[in-house]
Amino acid sequence: QVQLVESGGGLVQAGGSLRLSCVASGRTFSSHRMGWFRQAPGKEREFVASITWRVGITEYADSVKGRFIISRDNAKNTAYLQMNSLKPEDTAVYFCARQPGVGLSYVDWGQGTQVTVSS
C-alpha cells in the first residue's frame, strides 16, 4: 500500500502562484505515472497534469497549459505542481494519485489540498 499526502494549498489572489507537493510513502513505491486532479464545488473531478516517474514525460489539461508545471523528485518520492498565473476558476481541492502501470487506473488517492483563488 502506498500513501500519498498533498500539501501546499492555500488562499491566493488572482495572478499569484502556489506550489503543491505530493509525498509518497509506504512499504513499496513503484509507479508508472503520478497525476494531479482537482474538484471544484458542484463539479466532477478533472485531470490537471501528470508525469511519468522514470522519464518525466508530462501531460497537461488544456486549461492549465502554459501556467502549471508538474515535476518530480524521485529521490524524495515527491511530485510537485507549480501553479502560476492562477485564476478564480482554478479554485478547487487538488488531489494526487498514482498510476501503477501503463493503462491502469489511478489509485491511492491523497486526501486533497484546498486551493482558493480570489478575484
Side-chain angles (χ1 to χ4, degrees):
Q1 184 74 19
V2 175
Q3 295 81 41
L4 302 178
V5 178
E6 305 96 335
S7 63
L11 173 63
V12 64
Q13 289 188 334
S17 298
L18 283 173
R19 188 176 83 153
L20 306 183
S21 299
C22 173
V23 180
S25 62
R27 181 172 57 86
T28 301
F29 181 67
S30 175
S31 297
H32 167 61
R33 184 188 301 269
M34 292 294 290
W36 283 99
F37 298 78
R38 66 187 182 187
Q39 186 166 21
K43 295 186 177 180
E44 293 191 353
R45 186 169 58 197
E46 64 176 359
F47 169 80
V48 176
S50 69
I51 187 166
T52 59
W53 274 109
R54 286 192 175 185
V55 183
I57 296 173
T58 59
E59 295 182 0
Y60 296 92
D62 289 343
S63 58
V64 305
K65 279 182 182 176
R67 299 188 299 123
F68 290 11
I69 301 171
I70 188 171
S71 62
R72 89 276 190 234
D73 185 330
N74 296 52
K76 295 182 179 180
N77 285 342
T78 302
Y80 303 97
L81 186 67
Q82 177 68 42
M83 306 186 295
N84 302 318
S85 302
L86 282 162
K87 305 175 182 179
E89 50 264 44
D90 294 318
T91 295
V93 178
Y94 284 71
F95 301 89
C96 65
R98 69 183 189 99
Q99 188 185 40
V102 177
L104 298 180
S105 298
Y106 281 89
V107 297
D108 298 328
W109 294 82
Q111 83 291 345
T113 185
Q114 176 70 48
V115 172
T116 303
V117 184
S118 62
S119 57

